[in-house]
Amino acid sequence: MAAGFNEEKRAGKGPQSSYIINPHLDSMKEDILYHFNLGTATHDLPAMFGDVKFVCIGGSPWRMRSFIQYIAGELRLSDPNADFPDICAGTDRYSMYKAGPVLSISHGMGIPSIGIMLHELIKLLHHARCTDVTIIRIGTSGGIGLNPGTVVITKQSVDATFLPQFEQIILGKKVLRSTDLDEKLSEELLQCSKKLNEFDTVIGNTMCTLDFYEGQARLDGAFCSYTEEEKQNYLEEAYTAGVRNIEMESSVFAAMCKLSGLRGAVVCVTLLDRRKGDQMTSSHDTLNDYQMRPQKLVRHYIKKQLNVV
Amino acid sequence: MAAGFNEEKRAGKGPQSSYIINPHLDSMKEDILYHFNLGTATHDLPAMFGDVKFVCIGGSPWRMRSFIQYIAGELRLSDPNADFPDICAGTDRYSMYKAGPVLSISHGMGIPSIGIMLHELIKLLHHARCTDVTIIRIGTSGGIGLNPGTVVITKQSVDATFLPQFEQIILGKKVLRSTDLDEKLSEELLQCSKKLNEFDTVIGNTMCTLDFYEGQARLDGAFCSYTEEEKQNYLEEAYTAGVRNIEMESSVFAAMCKLSGLRGAVVCVTLLDRRKGDQMTSSHDTLNDYQMRPQKLVRHYIKKQLNVV
C-alpha cells in the first residue's frame, strides 16, 4: 500500500477465505441485502451462489441481461435464446443474472450506486462462501485522444486531479484508499484482445468523476462557467497524466477490490473522443456495436479461463 | 448567497425565463439529452413538455410509475387504471411519466445519478420553454430520533460534517455551492401535512452522503472499522446539528435548484431509526405504506395548487 494511505487490513487468511473486513457481521443473526432483495434468513445463498467464479458488472440492466444470454450461449451452458430470470426481481434497484459460474449485475450510474452494490455483493460472496472470484466492470466512457470504439483497460483509476486515490468519508472524516488494480489480470485481458484482433484496446489511466457534465469539463450541461479553451487545456493535462478515458465508477470499484482482496479489472469502451466533442452523436447501431466490445473481450477471457474452446 | 460560496449567477431575467447558466447551449444546432433518449432535433419538446408545472422525482422507477397513476387519478386527468407509457422507453437509465402538468421521473441512487438527470431535466425545461416549475424529491431515508414512518421536509441539506454546502469539482478545482431550499415551499408542504393529519411530519436538516454503509456509520457493510459506540456518537453529533434524516441525493438537488432558480423541496420518509439499527427489518407492507406518505403529501399540495378539491 502506497505511503500516505490509511492503514486498513483485510480480515481472514487470504482472498480465498473472506472478502469482508467487518467484525460486526458475524454476530448478526440475519443479514438482509436490502438493495438485492436477498437475505441470509430468506435465501440459501451458498446453494444459489457458491459456484460463482466470475462477476461481470455494468451500469445498464438491459446490457447486463444481454450479457448473460451472450455468455451462456458462448459457454454452451444453455440455449442462447433461453430466458434468465432476474434474481433481484423483487426490487428495481439492481438486476442480477446467473449462468453457471458467471454472475452479471447492473450497478446504475455513479460511485454511490456502484458502492452500495459492491458492499452487498461482497457480503453475498462471503455468505455464499465463494472463493477465487474475479470481478470485471464492463462499461462505457468518454475517451481522450483515442478513436471512438477503442477499449481501455484501466491501469489506475485517478481522481479529478489525476491522483490514484479514492476519498471515502467515514464518521465525517476523510480516508484515502488506493485505487491500484490487478496488473496481471489487466495484462491477461490485453492479451485476449490481441488474440481477438477485432478492435483497438489500450491500457491506460481512467479518470473517475462524480459528475458527467461540469465534472468532466463538458460544455453542454445546464451549467457551464468555463470556455472551450479551458476545457481543452484540462483534457490535455489529463492526457499528459496518462488518462485515456473518463467514467464514473472505477475509483470506488478499484478501492473496494483492493481492500476486499477481490481480483478486479475495469474494461470500458470509449463512445466518443472528448477532444472533439461532448455529445454522443454516433448512430444507435454504432453505439451498440461499441458497447459489445468489452463483452466480447471478457467472453474471450472467461472462455480461456474455463478451457472452453 | 452565504459568504464563502463562489459567486455564480443565473442567466436570464428570472425563474420564469430560463433555468440554465450556459452561454454555449444557444450556439448548439442540436441538443441530445442522451440519458433521457430525447433531443431537440428528434422531439418537439415544447409540445411534449411546455405545460409542465410540477416535477416529482424519486430513486425507484417503479415508485415513480405508481406515483403518476396515483396523481392522474387524484387530479381526475384519466382513468386511474390507465397505462402511462415511459417517455424514456428507449433507455434504461431513467424512467419518465407525464399526466397533465405533472412530470414523474426516476433518478437512481446517489448524487452522480440524480445530477445527470437534473442537468438534462433543466435543459429539457429550457428547451420546452417551461415557466414557474416546482420540483419535489419524494424519497426514502434513514431517520435519527424519529419514529419510523415519520416524513422529513428538508430545511437544509448538510454534508458529513453537518455544513450546508455541496462540493462540485469543476476542471479539477473544488467549488462550494449553497444547499438552501425554498423556505416558503417547505412551510406550505408542512401545512399540507397538518391538514392531511395521517402521519407525523417534521422540518429538519437532511444529511446527504456519498455512501450508504461506511458513509452513514452503518455497522453492517462489507467493511467497518468503527465501534457501535463511535457510530452512536456520530449520529448524536448529527442530531445536535439538527439532522433528522440521512439520504444520498438532497445536496446536489438543493444546489442545482438554487443555481437554476427552480423552486425545490425534499420530502423523504424515514424507514427506520438509525439509533436503533441499520437494517430494514420492517415488513414489505409496512415499508410500502411508509413510501406512500411523501406521495400523499405531495398529491395534497399539487391538488391545492391546482384548486382540485
Side-chain angles (χ1 to χ4, degrees):
Chain A
M1 208 170 274
F5 291 110
N6 307 59
E7 284 294 327
E8 297 177 294
K9 278 179 191 163
R10 214 159 26 76
K13 290 162 202 159
Q16 274 71 25
S17 65
S18 175
Y19 297 111
I20 65 156
I21 317 179
N22 184 351
H24 305 285
L25 268 191
D26 285 338
S27 61
M28 286 165 58
K29 275 186 194 159
E30 178 187 0
D31 187 13
I32 300 172
L33 308 174
Y34 179 70
H35 302 86
F36 286 160
N37 199 36
L38 297 172
T40 54
T42 47
H43 298 79
D44 184 349
L45 299 178
M48 291 173 73
F49 299 104
D51 62 340
V52 168
K53 295 294 177 196
F54 303 96
V55 182
C56 298
I57 64 174
S60 148
W62 294 355
R63 200 190 326 132
M64 299 323 293
R65 184 167 179 277
S66 85
F67 177 72
I68 207 72
Q69 292 173 318
Y70 175 62
I71 201 87
E74 288 286 327
L75 299 180
R76 296 178 213 134
L77 289 167
S78 73
D79 183 324
N81 296 318
D83 198 29
F84 290 87
D86 182 356
I87 298 168
C88 298
T91 173
D92 60 353
R93 301 300 192 172
Y94 303 110
S95 292
M96 184 190 288
Y97 306 94
K98 186 175 182 296
V102 183
L103 204 56
S104 174
I105 317 175
S106 70
H107 56 58
M109 290 187 286
I111 287 170
S113 188
I114 192 176
I116 295 173
M117 193 281 279
L118 289 172
H119 268 283
E120 298 188 13
L121 172 66
I122 291 168
K123 293 200 293 174
L124 183 154
L125 297 174
H126 170 74
H127 295 311
R129 298 191 284 278
C130 295
T131 58
D132 204 22
V133 175
T134 298
I135 179 165
I136 305 179
R137 163 163 148 71
I138 45 175
T140 58
S141 62
I144 306 180
L146 300 173
N147 287 325
T150 303
V151 171
V152 179
I153 300 168
T154 302
K155 187 179 177 188
Q156 282 186 313
S157 174
V158 301
D159 65 13
T161 61
F162 322 127
L163 294 173
Q165 59 188 26
F166 173 67
E167 185 182 290
Q168 172 74 44
I169 311 279
I170 302 177
L171 306 179
K173 293 180 182 65
K174 291 176 185 176
V175 174
L176 289 181
R177 287 179 174 164
S178 162
T179 54
D180 288 342
L181 285 155
D182 191 303
E183 274 183 52
K184 186 166 162 283
L185 176 59
S186 294
E187 189 53 46
E188 285 170 354
L189 287 163
L190 184 67
Q191 293 308 318
C192 282
S193 179
K194 282 182 181 163
K195 280 224 170 160
L196 257 180
N197 198 27
E198 288 185 29
F199 43 80
D200 290 332
T201 303
V202 300
I203 289 187
N205 289 342
T206 298
M207 183 161 78
C208 182
T209 69
L210 284 164
D211 176 50
F212 184 79
Y213 288 97
E214 295 174 282
Q216 297 188 6
R218 275 190 161 79
L219 301 171
D220 64 336
F223 314 132
C224 182
S225 56
Y226 40 87
T227 63
E228 161 91 36
E229 190 188 354
E230 288 172 313
K231 166 199 157 171
Q232 294 295 351
N233 290 343
Y234 182 64
L235 294 182
E236 188 58 40
E237 282 178 56
Y239 190 86
T240 304
V243 173
R244 293 295 175 271
N245 65 338
I246 312 174
E247 45 78 271
M248 300 179 66
E249 291 87 15
S250 60
S251 62
V252 72
F253 173 87
M256 290 179 75
C257 284
K258 188 164 174 88
L259 207 53
S260 66
L262 272 173
R263 187 167 49 241
V266 178
V267 179
C268 290
V269 71
T270 59
L271 299 182
L272 76 168
D273 182 354
R274 288 295 318 291
R275 284 178 172 174
K276 294 178 184 163
D278 296 324
Q279 296 225 319
M280 255 69 83
T281 49
S282 297
S283 74
H284 194 75
D285 286 349
T286 301
L287 291 174
N288 271 353
D289 172 62
Y290 290 167
Q291 293 188 30
M292 279 305 292
R293 294 179 177 186
Q295 298 193 23
K296 285 182 183 173
L297 204 168
V298 170
R299 168 207 63 181
H300 193 86
Y301 173 77
I302 292 176
K303 283 177 80 170
K304 198 177 152 210
Q305 296 299 308
L306 295 176
N307 291 314
V308 179
V309 185
Chain B
M1 207 170 273
F5 290 111
N6 306 59
E7 283 296 325
E8 296 176 296
K9 279 180 190 161
R10 214 159 28 78
K13 292 163 203 159
Q16 274 71 24
S17 64
S18 176
Y19 297 113
I20 65 157
I21 318 181
N22 184 350
H24 305 286
L25 268 192
D26 285 337
S27 61
M28 287 165 58
K29 275 186 196 162
E30 178 186 358
D31 187 13
I32 300 172
L33 307 174
Y34 179 71
H35 302 85
F36 285 160
N37 200 36
L38 297 173
T40 54
T42 47
H43 297 80
D44 184 348
L45 300 178
M48 291 173 75
F49 299 105
D51 63 338
V52 168
K53 296 295 176 194
F54 303 95
V55 182
C56 299
I57 64 174
S60 149
W62 294 354
R63 201 189 325 129
M64 299 323 293
R65 185 167 177 276
S66 86
F67 177 71
I68 207 72
Q69 293 173 319
Y70 176 60
I71 200 86
E74 287 286 327
L75 298 180
R76 295 177 214 135
L77 289 168
S78 74
D79 182 325
N81 295 318
D83 199 27
F84 291 88
D86 182 355
I87 299 168
C88 299
T91 174
D92 60 352
R93 300 300 189 172
Y94 303 110
S95 293
M96 184 190 290
Y97 306 95
K98 186 175 181 295
V102 183
L103 203 59
S104 175
I105 317 175
S106 70
H107 56 59
M109 289 187 288
I111 287 171
S113 188
I114 191 176
I116 295 172
M117 193 281 280
L118 288 173
H119 268 283
E120 298 188 12
L121 172 67
I122 291 168
K123 293 200 293 174
L124 184 153
L125 297 175
H126 170 73
H127 295 311
R129 298 192 283 277
C130 295
T131 59
D132 204 25
V133 175
T134 298
I135 179 165
I136 305 177
R137 164 163 146 72
I138 47 177
T140 58
S141 63
I144 307 180
L146 300 173
N147 288 325
T150 303
V151 172
V152 179
I153 300 168
T154 302
K155 186 179 179 188
Q156 284 186 311
S157 174
V158 301
D159 66 14
T161 60
F162 321 128
L163 293 174
Q165 60 189 27
F166 172 67
E167 185 182 292
Q168 171 74 45
I169 312 279
I170 302 178
L171 305 180
K173 293 181 181 64
K174 291 176 187 177
V175 174
L176 290 181
R177 289 180 173 162
S178 161
T179 55
D180 288 342
L181 286 156
D182 191 303
E183 274 184 52
K184 187 167 163 279
L185 176 59
S186 294
E187 189 54 43
E188 284 170 354
L189 287 162
L190 185 67
Q191 292 309 320
C192 282
S193 179
K194 282 182 182 163
K195 279 222 167 159
L196 257 179
N197 198 26
E198 289 185 28
F199 43 80
D200 290 331
T201 303
V202 300
I203 289 186
N205 289 343
T206 298
M207 183 161 78
C208 183
T209 69
L210 283 164
D211 177 50
F212 185 80
Y213 288 97
E214 296 172 283
Q216 297 188 6
R218 275 188 161 80
L219 301 171
D220 64 336
F223 315 131
C224 183
S225 55
Y226 40 86
T227 65
E228 162 92 36
E229 191 187 353
E230 289 171 313
K231 166 199 157 172
Q232 294 295 351
N233 290 344
Y234 182 64
L235 295 182
E236 188 58 38
E237 282 178 55
Y239 189 87
T240 305
V243 173
R244 293 296 174 270
N245 66 338
I246 312 175
E247 46 77 271
M248 298 178 69
E249 292 87 14
S250 60
S251 62
V252 72
F253 173 87
M256 290 181 74
C257 283
K258 188 164 173 88
L259 207 50
S260 66
L262 272 173
R263 187 168 47 242
V266 178
V267 179
C268 290
V269 71
T270 59
L271 299 182
L272 76 169
D273 182 355
R274 288 295 317 291
R275 284 179 173 173
K276 294 177 184 165
D278 296 322
Q279 296 224 321
M280 256 69 80
T281 50
S282 297
S283 74
H284 194 74
D285 287 348
T286 300
L287 291 175
N288 272 352
D289 172 62
Y290 291 167
Q291 293 188 30
M292 279 304 293
R293 294 180 178 186
Q295 298 193 22
K296 285 182 183 173
L297 205 168
V298 169
R299 169 206 63 180
H300 194 85
Y301 172 77
I302 292 175
K303 283 177 79 170
K304 200 177 150 212
Q305 296 299 308
L306 296 176
N307 291 313
V308 180
V309 185

